[in-house]
Amino acid sequence: MPHILIIDDEEPIAWALRRAFEREQYRVGVAANAEDGLVQARKQSPDVVFLDVRLPGMDGLTALGELRRIAPNAAIVVITAHGNLNTAVKAVEGGAFDYLSKPFELAQAIETAKRAMTRNVQAPSNSATRSLAGESDIDLSPDAIIGRSPAIQTVFKRIALVAPTAVCVLITGESGTGKELVARAIHAHSPRRNKLFLPVHIAALNPNLIESELFGHAKGAFTGADKQRDGLITLANGGTIFLDELADIPLPVQAKLLRVLERQEVIPVGSGESQPVNVRIVSATHADLTTAVREGRFRHDLFYRLNTYPIHLPPLRDRIEDIPALGQHFLRKFDVANPAAILSADTIAFLASRPWPGNIRELRNALEHAAIQARGGALRPEHFPEPAAFAGPANTPERLRSLVTEWVREQAARSNNEPSDLHQKLLDVVEAALLDEVMRLLDGNRLAAGRWLGLARATVRKMIRKYHPLVDEPDSEE
């Protein structure tokens, strides 16, 4: 019978987990502190450990290393209500199997335990268990990515998992959600941290010279090319290049970028010789690349290479509970002496009720405006600028209705006021977006996606084949 050890000083959580696992026919042990948990682990090595971070006495992250030594085959699931990016990174670097943020559903904990039971057991390598604080000069104070909401905790976890690797990452999300911050965090926690991080905003490059800017050019390649010049990708050799506004890359340039990914080499404009490069590509876009692929505006093979590991950033309206922490963070940057004192409960409630189409960037600008108006005093609603005229409806169903209205009018204009098949066209757009988002949230688990969508797994499979015909995956529950 599998053995699960729960180390958590919050009695209601420990009790609920114990009851849930016992119903699944697991043998369960419970400890209220790390010291007692280590004693239990020595007596009988558990299969899975659910380990809280904040514990009386020894903290969970310190206990993680001891548990790895005492029970090297146990899967350790770190759980916390107070995590930031550094917590997630330390957990992953310490050899944790998974990372759960409180509050979480009992079903999620059970599914995590079942995955842990069927994993390929491997003793952690030395590199996986080293403390970051001991091996580099990274500042492990709370990162500039602020928040404790479940939405941003998911982002922390994905950053921590992908940072030590060399795979491509595609960061998506609305404008102003902090995509470059995430790219910088991935680089800062990667083995390339001591090399260059080079941000490139594609939309800011000269459209006529974008190929030369990225890949370089040989002397005499075009008028004005009086000497050889290395491109941005070559300059980032050994480090990380961040390609922002990915959808703006022209198709001919996309083909050359694919060559960089497949062959790790660049060919400068006007040159027949390739140059080897070792660069990690992190990219970002607020555009819908899946639509661009279907319409032929973006190469499907490049999309799949760049989208090896996607990270989606939630809009501010989906993480309203992070506004107080974000507010205090920005006010400290504005050199306000006591940010907590000038952000009253009424002001926080006011900020939570506003639409934020510009997301965190708009919040920061609004707070800076209010701080100037308040002249050092408490911030009140009248100190903030009026919402932008394009803010649109704050309520999600209203936003959807507004978008549908715009879409119908656009279709009518394109077809001289006589559109056809509107229902099917809208269904294709909405159904594809719904499928993509649910599959992203569930890490591709088709069985779970079927439950969320209220559809049979066979139907989900048909939808995937319809909207992603090039994806050929085994139909598994994992």
Side-chain angles (χ1 to χ4, degrees):
M1 181 184 295
H3 179 211
I4 293 180
L5 175 60
I6 301 164
I7 306 177
D8 197 319
D9 63 328
E10 293 188 58
E11 188 174 343
I13 292 177
W15 179 85
L17 284 172
R18 180 172 195 158
R19 288 290 301 274
F21 289 133
E22 287 177 341
R23 284 195 294 268
E24 296 291 323
Q25 304 301 309
Y26 296 145
R27 195 156 38 86
V28 183
V30 176
N33 56 66
E35 291 80 0
D36 185 24
L38 292 172
V39 170
Q40 292 193 39
R42 285 189 185 97
K43 289 180 178 178
Q44 186 169 9
S45 182
D47 297 290
V48 183
V49 180
F50 282 80
L51 175 65
D52 193 19
V53 170
R54 289 199 175 184
L55 294 167
M58 182 187 297
D59 67 88
L61 291 177
T62 302
L64 176 60
E66 285 295 303
L67 283 166
R68 291 247 49 94
R69 183 177 61 81
I70 293 169
N73 293 329
I76 301 175
V77 180
V78 171
I79 54 177
T80 181
H82 306 281
N84 55 30
L85 177 56
N86 287 322
T87 303
V89 168
K90 285 183 177 181
V92 172
E93 290 284 336
F97 170 75
D98 209 339
Y99 176 93
L100 297 180
S101 302
K102 298 178 181 177
F104 52 82
E105 299 289 337
L106 288 176
Q108 185 181 4
I110 292 170
E111 183 181 2
T112 301
K114 288 180 177 179
R115 283 193 293 109
M117 300 288 184
T118 58
R119 81 197 191 285
N120 291 323
V121 178
Q122 291 181 337
S125 65
N126 291 334
S127 63
T129 56
R130 287 179 303 200
S131 165
L132 276 179
E135 69 177 29
S136 75
D137 58 355
I138 291 179
D139 180 8
L140 293 180
S141 59
D143 291 75
I145 308 173
I146 304 298
R148 290 180 177 171
S149 65
I152 203 64
Q153 290 287 333
T154 299
V155 173
F156 291 160
K157 174 182 172 181
R158 294 186 72 80
I159 292 172
L161 289 172
V162 79
T165 74
V167 304
C168 295
V169 180
L170 176 60
I171 307 168
T172 57
E174 296 177 8
S175 179
T177 49
K179 293 187 283 292
E180 185 171 333
L181 280 179
V182 170
R184 289 182 179 276
I186 292 169
H187 176 76
H189 292 287
S190 77
R192 299 170 183 261
R193 62 177 69 95
N194 295 321
K195 300 294 185 179
L196 180 65
F197 174 85
L198 182 59
V200 177
H201 299 273
I202 299 298
L205 299 179
N206 185 328
N208 298 320
L209 297 175
I210 187 170
E211 187 175 355
S212 169
E213 293 279 4
L214 288 176
F215 308 109
H217 61 252
K219 181 179 180 181
F222 49 83
T223 303
D226 53 354
K227 61 181 179 179
Q228 179 180 332
R229 179 185 174 187
D230 286 336
L232 295 170
I233 291 176
T234 302
L235 291 176
N237 192 29
T240 303
I241 189 167
F242 173 56
L243 301 179
D244 199 8
E245 301 302 345
L246 186 66
D248 291 334
I249 298 180
L251 276 169
V253 178
Q254 292 176 28
K256 295 195 71 169
L257 184 58
L258 182 64
R259 184 185 184 93
V260 173
L261 291 168
E262 291 183 338
R263 302 190 183 183
Q264 290 288 290
E265 64 182 24
V266 297
I267 299 179
V269 176
S271 172
E273 297 183 3
S274 62
Q275 300 175 359
V277 290
N278 175 16
V279 64
R280 182 182 197 171
I281 297 180
V282 178
S283 51
T285 182
H286 68 273
D288 182 0
L289 280 186
T290 57
T291 298
V293 170
R294 285 197 296 270
E295 295 177 352
R297 293 182 286 108
F298 201 90
R299 292 179 63 107
H300 65 82
D301 45 5
L302 179 60
F303 170 75
Y304 288 120
R305 290 301 301 267
L306 293 173
N307 195 38
T308 302
Y309 194 86
I311 296 179
H312 181 73
L313 297 190
L316 186 56
R317 60 182 174 273
D318 288 347
R319 45 180 299 213
I320 293 298
E321 60 266 55
D322 288 336
I323 284 180
L326 287 164
Q328 292 187 33
H329 171 73
F330 289 135
L331 290 170
R332 278 193 293 270
K333 282 184 170 290
F334 305 153
D335 203 22
V336 172
N338 189 356
I342 66 173
L343 271 180
S344 67
D346 289 344
T347 300
I348 290 172
F350 163 74
L351 294 176
S353 68
R354 278 184 58 151
W356 296 104
N359 293 295
I360 297 171
R361 184 185 295 121
E362 183 186 358
L363 174 65
R364 175 186 173 131
N365 292 342
L367 283 164
E368 190 165 20
H369 180 281
I372 294 170
Q373 289 290 100
R375 298 186 177 185
L379 271 59
R380 298 192 299 273
E382 59 265 28
H383 293 141
F384 288 84
E386 290 295 320
F390 53 80
N395 181 269
T396 298
E398 291 178 1
R399 286 201 308 274
L400 287 172
R401 183 177 292 275
S402 175
L403 288 171
V404 171
T405 300
E406 290 180 25
W407 183 83
V408 171
R409 291 174 179 173
E410 180 183 292
Q411 296 297 312
R414 287 182 177 180
S415 54
N416 297 321
N417 295 316
E418 290 186 2
S420 61
D421 297 324
L422 274 185
H423 179 268
Q424 188 58 49
K425 288 179 180 177
L426 180 61
L427 183 62
D428 288 345
V429 172
V430 175
E431 191 177 58
L434 177 64
L435 173 67
D436 290 347
E437 181 63 8
V438 169
M439 292 293 286
R440 183 192 66 77
L441 289 172
L442 297 172
D443 290 329
N445 187 321
R446 299 182 184 183
L447 185 61
R451 291 196 298 267
W452 277 40
L453 295 168
L455 299 172
R457 187 167 45 160
T459 305
V460 175
R461 188 188 309 123
K462 289 178 181 177
M463 290 170 63
I464 292 172
R465 288 173 178 169
K466 177 180 179 181
Y467 296 111
H468 300 289
L470 296 172
V471 176
D472 185 16
E473 305 178 314
D475 184 30
S476 70
E477 296 179 11
E478 297 298 330

